[in-house]
């Protein structure tokens, strides 16, 4: 139901809610800040639905801490997190690594980036270069492990 949620400086929270269907969040991401009408099924919170929240167990969701780190540090690190994650997930989907390895692989690549070529205020060209670098390094890292 909740596709994204942010906490603002004043402590208030904004969420994007919808049915379990990624078409609306993708449309929102592609068209922001514009909104277009669509024919997607609509969420109706009065029809028997409820939301409940529990604290996140970092042992069960280790990648969440990586995302918090990338978000807080900013710069080029979020691009590295995304690129390394996409490559690791592809290896998982191909049956070449276990799901439980994804977060440790992403963490390794993020650490290498922080040592080597982190950019605090990257432009688009730097982000694209870092994305390519992280994908290549992740593939090399996994190939060296025999995956």
């Amino acid at each position: 139901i909740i596709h994204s949620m942010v906490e603002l400086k004043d402590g208030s929270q904004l969420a994007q809610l919808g049915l379990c269907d990624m078409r609306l969040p993708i449309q929102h991401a592609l068209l922001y800040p514009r909104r277009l009408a669509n024919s997607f099924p609509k969420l109706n919170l009065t029809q028997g639905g409820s939301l409940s929240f529990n604290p996140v167990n970092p042992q069960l969701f280790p990648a969440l801490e990586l995302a918090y780190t990338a978000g807080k540090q900013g710069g080029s690190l979020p691009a590295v997190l995304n690129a390394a994650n996409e490559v690791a997930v592809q290896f998982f989907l191909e049956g070449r690594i276990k799901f439980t390895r994804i977060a440790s692989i992403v963490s390794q690549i993020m650490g290498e980036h922080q040592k080597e070529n982190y950019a605090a205020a990257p432009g688009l060209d730097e982000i694209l270069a870092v994305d390519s670098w992280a994908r290549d390094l992740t593939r090399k890292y996994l190939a060296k492990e025999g995956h």
Side-chain angles (χ1 to χ4, degrees):
I1 301 284
I2 299 176
H3 293 279
S4 65
M5 182 180 283
V6 295
E7 183 175 320
L8 305 176
K9 289 180 184 180
D10 65 3
S12 63
Q13 297 178 3
L14 300 176
Q16 194 275 318
L17 290 85
L19 294 175
C20 297
D21 179 332
M22 290 304 295
R23 291 178 294 175
L24 186 58
I26 291 168
Q27 177 180 302
H28 176 66
L30 292 174
L31 298 175
Y32 184 84
R34 296 180 313 143
R35 299 283 184 155
L36 294 181
N38 60 58
S39 61
F40 307 153
K42 307 297 184 222
L43 174 65
N44 185 336
L45 293 174
T46 63
Q47 292 182 339
S50 65
L51 301 175
S52 60
F53 300 89
N54 296 303
V56 175
N57 179 338
Q59 279 70 41
L60 292 176
F61 302 100
L64 186 59
E65 190 58 40
L66 297 175
Y68 286 148
T69 298
K72 288 175 186 170
Q73 186 167 334
S76 56
L77 195 57
V80 170
L81 175 138
N82 180 69
N85 182 66
E86 286 187 1
V87 171
V89 167
Q90 185 63 43
F91 271 64
F92 163 69
L93 292 173
E94 293 169 357
R96 297 165 70 185
I97 64 169
K98 292 183 177 184
F99 178 79
T100 54
R101 294 270 295 120
I102 294 172
S104 65
I105 292 163
V106 172
S107 178
Q108 181 75 28
I109 304 305
M110 287 173 64
E112 290 299 318
H113 180 63
Q114 289 170 305
K115 289 189 286 188
E116 289 189 21
N117 57 358
Y118 168 77
L124 179 58
D125 289 340
E126 286 176 295
I127 290 171
L128 294 173
V130 163
D131 177 90
S132 180
W133 172 88
R135 289 173 192 277
D136 290 344
L137 185 61
T138 306
R139 288 184 194 103
K140 288 175 186 171
Y141 176 81
L142 289 167
K144 189 170 30 171
E145 286 190 347
H147 301 289

